[in-house]
């Protein structure tokens, strides 16, 4: 039934029903892309069609195209009957209960009591007709539109085996009471059966039962693989308590507007991104960032929607709501990554699209070849085996299941992969260009060493508290830990030197060492710290030097370990920074980087990336700032630190939700592991079909053995993909 939809001009995802293999996805994608201006990607694993539609193309038209191709579109969150794992599980259990006696009756002559073939006929009818309904329904739908899929192979093979046996029981001596049948694992020549046609009820039933098992496991895996995305979406609270005109009102979270004051009590989730204006609390952001330690927030702190307030009441002014929140954008990135296609998947799609007609042709040739030489019964058996074993179920599952599990695992580790094509880049990367500030260092200036008395530092802190300069803020914050700031009577900035003023009746100067006339121990400390690349601040009280402080952007404690891990992955680290050379060399030495480019402007970073690529290198860039965005976009692989700017995150291929460079190594390892799993799956699926089809055509497999082998191949592929869930 059609639904009235509103016109669309933005990307939209359709929940497609009725897809049973990669061939279905390829067909729908082809039909949608024939609509002028439409760019569509259909993913079999997620059962979604991601459509970019221009103005003038409404959703009703897109739904009509999908339906005309023989498939359906369901409302979000609705379950397709044939794809519901619970219903598939019921069909499999009933099919298994009925198939076991059919197999025993057919394989064990001692159990072939009078009328056994009629009992097998009745039991297998339920299995083939009711249990195999999803396959027959899909095959019929495709046939009405002149197309074929792997369901066509299944339905043809099962129906042929069942109908052959039914006709034999109803109209030949095989249905006589007291007749028996010898079971064989290999197809028998007509002469060996004494002219009585063999029955294949057990083959038809076993094929259906094993295929139902494979499809049930497949859909269970798909449901579990999407758990990471659903967990992210579930973080968003459904309601929010908003304070308007002094009155608190509970409203749906989707109705929160920018600048609303949102009241969040202990244990509740924050409904929107915002800034704390009242209260203080620890906030658990572990599901969003992977960081297990709660973050302390106070007025002025930024908080993200979906995080949990631990032990205090907060009033948050909303700054980003709805689809603009960090949580919504992360969920969108994960969904986009899972619905995209890696280059290897496009190859598998092209193969699947031509595979079915070729196999049907091979089955016909097999039937004719054996039928005209050794007899039509053996030819029929071999042809049915070809149809059944050729089902490229494993081929269709090889890439989507690995992508689902890999990207879902990445989201759980705080690694967001923008798209599957990124996987190919991570495989080839051999050089990583690292920004300094915010990547190797914390990005915040702090006092790392000092020499002198506390009272002088306290006076200096009071004077510096009037400035917003990062170095002045570091001195003021350091002094604040020594006690309350004294009153400042006067304050004057001296360009190029520092600041001077009167504090508690003293004349205080804070600035460059050269302005202070340092000597002795204070002068030696200043010289030593300067050589180490640190910014030195001198404090003079009433004309006498009293203290010196070393201010620096501290190297993250994990940076050295992270650089070593990247090197172990075969990546040569290069640091490119806008800082002066002494500072750059000091940080590079601390983290173990040998190649350094200092005093680099944004265009210099882009040029260095281009130079490295021109020399044959495949380059990854890790950065966090606006000045890194161009280099991130120009690299083969861009990795943005999650605490960085939105511009950098938008330009990157991978976003690290934690400000920990070690996660970059994890991202590379996970991407390579996912790509390796895809190749293993494709190698197995291609190899299986290439080896099994000739065996079936040569008359070395019965339909029952072919069905078991085909179903187990799909189970192997799904199981191999699920191993990524244990990635560490």
């Amino acid at each position: 039934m059609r639904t009235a939809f509103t016109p669309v001009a933005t990307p939209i995802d359709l929940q497609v029903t009725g897809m049973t293999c990669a061939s279905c996805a390829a067909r729908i994608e082809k039909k949608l892309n024939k609509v002028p201006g439409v760019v569509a990607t259909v993913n079999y694993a997620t059962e979604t069609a991601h459509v970019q539609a221009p103005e003038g193309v409404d959703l009703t038209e897109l739904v009509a195209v999908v339906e005309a191709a023989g498939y359906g579109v369901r409302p979000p969150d609705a379950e397709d009957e044939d794809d519901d794992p619970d219903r598939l599980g019921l069909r499999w259990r009933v099919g298994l209960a009925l198939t076991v006696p059919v197999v025993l009756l057919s394989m064990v002559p001692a159990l072939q009591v009078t009328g056994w073939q009629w009992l097998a006929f009745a039991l297998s009818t339920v299995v083939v007709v009711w249990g195999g309904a999803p396959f027959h329904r899909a095959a019929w739908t495709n046939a009405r539109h002149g197309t074929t899929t792997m369901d066509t192979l299944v339905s043809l093979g099962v129906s042929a085996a069942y109908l052959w046996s039914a006709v034999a029981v109803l109209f030949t001596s095989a249905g006589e009471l007291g007749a028996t049948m010898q079971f064989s694992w290999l197809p028998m020549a007509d002469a060996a059966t004494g002219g009585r046609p063999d029955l294949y009820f057990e083959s038809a039933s076993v094929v259906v039962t094993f295929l139902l098992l494979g499809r049930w496991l497949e859909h269970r895996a798909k449901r579990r693989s999407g758990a990471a995305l659903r967990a992210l979406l579930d973080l968003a609270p459904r309601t929010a308590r908003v304070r308007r005109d002094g009155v608190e009102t509970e409203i749906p979270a989707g109705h929160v507007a920018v600048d609303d004051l949102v009241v969040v009590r202990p244990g509740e989730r924050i409904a929107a991104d915002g800034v704390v204006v009242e209260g203080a609390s620890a906030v658990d952001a572990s599901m969003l960032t992977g960081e297990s330690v709660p973050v302390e927030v106070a007025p002025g702190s930024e908080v993200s929607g979906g995080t949990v307030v631990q032990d205090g009441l907060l009033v948050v002014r909303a700054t980003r709501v709805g689809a603009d929140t960090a949580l919504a954008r992360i969920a969108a990135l994960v969904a986009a990554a899972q619905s995209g296609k890696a280059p290897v998947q496009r190859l598998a799609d092209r193969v699947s699209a031509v595979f079915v007609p070729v196999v049907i042709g091979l089955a016909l040739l097999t039937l004719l070849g054996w039928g005209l030489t050794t007899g039509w019964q053996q030819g029929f058996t071999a042809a049915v085996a070809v149809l059944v074993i050729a089902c490229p179920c494993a081929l269709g599952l090889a890439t989507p299941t690995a992508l689902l599990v890999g990207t879902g695992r990445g989201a759980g580790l705080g690694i967001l992969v923008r798209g599957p094509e990124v996987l190919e880049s991570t495989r080839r990367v051999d050089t990583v260009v690292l920004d300094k500030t915010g990547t190797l260092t914390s990005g915040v200036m702090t006092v790392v060493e000092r020499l002198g008395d506390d009272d002088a530092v306290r006076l200096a802190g009071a004077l510096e508290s009037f400035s917003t300069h990062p170095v002045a803020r570091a001195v003021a914050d350091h002094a604040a830990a020594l006690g309350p700031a004294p009153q400042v009577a006067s304050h004057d900035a001296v360009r190029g030197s520092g600041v001077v003023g009167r504090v508690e009746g003293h004349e205080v100067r804070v600035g460059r060492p050269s302005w202070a006339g340092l000597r002795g121990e204070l002068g030696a400390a200043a010289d030593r710290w300067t050589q180490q690349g640190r910014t030195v601040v001198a404090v003079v009280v009433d004309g006498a030097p009293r203290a010196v402080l070393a201010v620096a952007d501290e190297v993250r404690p994990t940076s050295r370990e992270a650089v070593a891990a990247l090197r172990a992955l075969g990546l040569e680290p290069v640091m490119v920074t806008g800082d002066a050379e002494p500072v750059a060399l000091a940080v590079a030495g601390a983290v173990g980087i040998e190649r350094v480019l200092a005093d680099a402007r944004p265009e210099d970073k882009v040029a260095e990336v281009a130079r490295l690529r021109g020399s044959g290198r495949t380059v990854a860039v890790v950065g966090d700032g606006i000045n890194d965005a161009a280099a991130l976009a120009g690299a083969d692989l861009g990795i943005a630190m999650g605490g960085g700017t939105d511009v950098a995150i938008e330009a990157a291929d991978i976003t690290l939700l934690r400000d920990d460079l070690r996660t970059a190594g994890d991202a590379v390892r996970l991407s390579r592991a996912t790509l390796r799993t895809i190749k293993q799956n494709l190698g197995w699926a291609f190899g299986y079909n290439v080896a099994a089809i000739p065996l079936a055509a040569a008359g070395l497999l019965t339909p029952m053995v072919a069905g078991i082998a085909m179903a187990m191949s799909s189970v192997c592929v799904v199981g191999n993909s699920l191993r990524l869930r244990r990635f560490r």
Side-chain angles (χ1 to χ4, degrees):
M1 184 176 70
R2 300 283 178 81
T3 307
F5 293 105
T6 54
V8 295
T10 54
I12 191 165
D13 290 322
L14 303 176
Q15 297 289 319
V16 181
T17 62
M19 287 197 297
T20 56
C21 63
S23 301
C24 302
R27 181 169 305 106
I28 298 171
E29 188 174 293
K30 186 177 179 182
K31 294 286 185 183
L32 285 171
N33 282 319
K34 282 185 177 178
V35 179
V38 166
V39 178
T41 303
V42 181
N43 189 298
Y44 165 55
T46 57
E47 298 171 342
T48 57
H50 184 70
V51 184
Q52 296 273 1
E55 293 282 357
V57 176
D58 63 27
L59 195 50
T60 305
E61 183 177 351
L62 298 175
V63 172
V65 171
V66 175
E67 291 179 344
Y71 304 90
V73 177
R74 66 169 180 261
D77 301 327
E79 195 86 58
D80 184 27
E81 181 181 344
D82 285 347
D83 294 337
D84 181 1
D86 297 333
R87 292 177 182 271
L88 285 171
L90 175 64
R91 289 182 191 273
W92 172 69
R93 285 188 288 273
V94 172
L96 179 64
L98 301 181
T99 297
V100 170
V102 173
V103 171
L104 292 175
L105 289 171
S106 303
M107 297 179 66
V108 184
L111 298 178
Q112 292 175 356
V113 297
T114 302
W116 69 271
Q117 65 271 55
W118 292 92
L119 178 59
F121 181 21
L123 296 177
S124 62
T125 299
V126 178
V127 178
V128 171
V129 176
W130 179 75
F135 308 108
H136 304 313
R137 196 152 38 225
W140 173 244
T141 301
N142 289 312
R144 285 193 294 120
H145 295 87
T147 59
T148 56
T149 65
M150 62 180 72
D151 282 300
T152 306
L153 300 181
V154 174
S155 184
L156 277 177
V158 169
S159 299
Y162 172 78
L163 291 175
W164 169 284
S165 305
V167 169
V169 169
L170 291 171
F171 302 109
T172 72
S173 60
E176 294 176 355
L177 297 179
T180 59
M181 184 182 74
Q182 295 294 323
F183 176 79
S184 172
W185 287 101
L186 297 176
M188 291 187 294
D190 289 13
T193 64
R196 176 179 294 165
D198 274 345
L199 305 181
Y200 297 109
F201 290 127
E202 85 287 352
S203 297
S205 300
V206 167
V207 167
V208 169
T209 301
F210 267 87
L211 287 173
L212 282 173
L213 173 62
R215 187 158 294 185
W216 177 49
L217 294 175
E218 170 194 337
H219 283 272
R220 283 186 60 192
K222 286 161 65 177
R223 178 181 279 184
R224 291 161 64 186
S225 300
L229 180 57
R230 285 194 293 274
L232 277 175
L233 296 175
D234 288 344
L235 288 178
R238 298 186 185 280
T239 61
R241 195 174 293 103
V242 177
R243 183 186 295 169
R244 291 172 178 166
D245 299 326
V247 178
E248 288 186 15
T249 309
E250 187 164 324
I251 63 173
H255 293 182
V256 175
V258 172
D259 286 336
D260 270 346
L261 294 177
V262 182
V263 181
V264 193
R265 293 188 168 82
E268 293 181 344
R269 293 188 183 277
I270 301 172
D273 292 358
V275 178
V276 176
V277 295
E278 290 180 27
S281 173
V283 172
D284 180 2
S286 57
M287 281 296 291
L288 200 59
T289 65
E291 181 58 61
S292 57
V293 180
V295 181
E296 295 290 338
V297 300
S301 302
E302 293 188 355
V303 292
S304 297
T307 54
V308 183
V309 175
Q310 298 281 289
D311 53 8
L313 185 144
L314 295 180
V315 178
V316 177
R317 183 181 299 283
T319 55
R320 289 189 292 199
V321 299
D324 294 331
T325 63
L327 177 62
R329 287 183 295 160
I330 289 169
L333 278 174
V334 174
Q338 293 189 336
S339 63
K341 292 185 179 182
V344 287
Q345 170 67 14
R346 298 186 189 282
L347 171 64
D349 286 349
R350 287 197 295 271
V351 172
S352 294
V354 300
F355 191 74
V356 175
V358 170
V359 168
I360 292 176
L362 280 175
L364 287 174
L365 289 175
T366 302
L367 174 65
L368 292 174
W370 285 103
L372 295 174
T373 54
T374 61
W376 291 105
Q377 176 161 305
Q378 187 171 4
F380 173 79
T381 306
V384 171
V386 168
L387 288 175
V388 172
I389 206 164
C391 294
C393 301
L395 190 61
L397 293 170
T399 300
T401 53
L403 280 176
L404 274 172
V405 180
T407 52
R409 180 62 187 142
L413 293 172
I415 301 166
L416 296 182
V417 181
R418 182 175 292 276
E421 61 278 359
V422 172
L423 303 178
E424 293 286 353
S425 302
T426 60
R427 180 177 62 85
R428 301 190 305 270
V429 164
D430 54 17
T431 304
V432 56
V433 173
L434 300 165
D435 173 47
K436 181 188 79 68
T437 305
T439 302
L440 293 167
T441 66
S442 64
V444 179
M445 300 296 279
T446 55
V447 174
V448 293
E449 283 192 75
R450 76 178 173 94
L451 183 64
D453 61 271
D454 288 353
D455 189 54
V457 174
R458 195 172 56 84
L459 296 174
L463 209 55
E464 292 285 44
S465 65
F466 287 83
S467 174
T468 58
H469 191 280
V471 174
R473 295 305 314 165
V475 174
D477 291 343
H478 182 75
L482 301 176
Q487 292 291 322
V488 176
S490 66
H491 175 282
D492 290 300
V494 180
R495 178 175 289 276
S497 297
V499 61
V500 61
R502 294 200 70 80
V503 185
E504 289 186 339
H506 301 284
E507 183 197 69
V508 181
R509 281 188 289 157
V510 183
R512 295 178 180 274
S514 58
W515 192 38
L518 298 176
R519 299 185 187 84
E521 189 180 8
L522 294 178
D527 291 342
R528 186 173 65 255
W529 293 340
T530 301
Q531 290 172 1
Q532 292 173 351
R534 294 170 174 173
T535 300
V536 180
V537 177
V539 182
V540 179
V541 179
D542 295 329
R546 295 270 295 274
V548 287
L549 302 93
V551 179
D553 179 9
E554 275 196 292
V555 174
R556 296 182 192 274
T558 58
S559 292
R560 187 175 185 83
E561 181 186 345
V563 169
L566 290 170
R567 205 186 292 277
L569 290 169
L571 279 63
E572 181 184 358
V574 179
M575 190 173 82
V576 181
T577 175
D579 285 76
E581 188 170 271
V583 177
L585 290 176
V587 172
V591 300
I593 294 179
E594 296 160 0
R595 296 182 60 184
V596 178
L597 177 62
D599 296 312
R601 295 171 298 177
E603 55 268 34
D604 296 328
K605 294 185 177 184
V606 175
E608 178 64 10
V609 171
R611 189 190 67 76
L612 288 168
R613 295 184 69 192
S615 65
R617 297 277 188 162
T618 303
V619 182
V621 172
V622 185
D624 71 321
I626 294 174
N627 61 338
D628 299 321
L632 286 167
D636 296 290
L637 177 68
I639 302 176
M641 304 295 283
T645 62
D646 290 348
V647 176
I649 293 173
E650 290 297 326
D653 302 304
I654 294 176
T655 299
L656 310 178
L657 295 182
R658 280 186 290 175
D659 279 338
D660 185 345
L661 187 59
R662 290 178 299 181
T663 320
D666 294 339
V668 173
R669 288 195 302 113
L670 176 62
S671 298
R672 289 180 176 179
T674 304
L675 187 62
R676 187 164 54 247
T677 302
I678 290 174
K679 291 186 172 179
Q680 289 169 352
N681 289 347
L682 287 175
W684 169 260
F686 275 117
Y688 161 81
N689 279 310
V690 168
I693 292 175
L695 289 176
L700 298 176
L701 297 175
T702 64
M704 185 181 74
V705 175
I708 295 172
M710 193 276 290
M712 293 313 297
S713 176
S714 297
V715 172
C716 286
V717 165
V718 173
N720 192 41
S721 298
L722 287 175
R723 290 191 306 116
L724 288 170
R725 297 177 68 198
R726 297 196 296 270
F727 177 87
R728 292 286 185 275

